Every structure is written in structure tokens, then in C-alpha cells.
């Protein structure tokens, strides 16, 4: 693997995990408001 490919892979993982964490935090906030 080239250095660029490794950076792109890590960048993609960062977006994926960042998006998942964001969705979870939004869901948690909605649950707290509804209760």
C-alpha cells in the first residue's frame, strides 16, 4: 500500500466513525427530550 492509500483509508474510517458517533449522540439527545 502506498502512503497516500493509507491516508485515504484512515480519512475514510475517521468520517465513518465520526458520522456514527454523531448519529448516536443525536439519538441520545432525542431520547432525553422525549422522556
Amino acid at each position: 500500500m502506498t502512503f497516500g492509500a493509507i491516508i485515504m483509508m484512515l480519512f475514510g474510517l475517521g468520517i465513518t466513525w465520526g458520522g456514527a458517533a454523531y448519529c448516536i449522540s443525536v439519538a441520545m439527545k432525542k431520547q432525553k427530550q422525549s422522556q
Side-chain angles (χ1 to χ4, degrees):
M1 266 219 267
T2 62
F3 190 64
I6 292 170
I7 289 176
M8 287 300 293
M9 188 177 70
L10 289 173
F11 190 66
L13 280 173
I15 290 175
T16 302
W17 283 107
Y22 178 75
C23 287
I24 289 169
S25 68
V26 169
M28 295 287 275
K29 284 179 184 174
K30 284 183 179 176
Q31 279 189 342
K32 284 180 183 174
Q33 285 174 356
S34 66
Q35 284 176 351

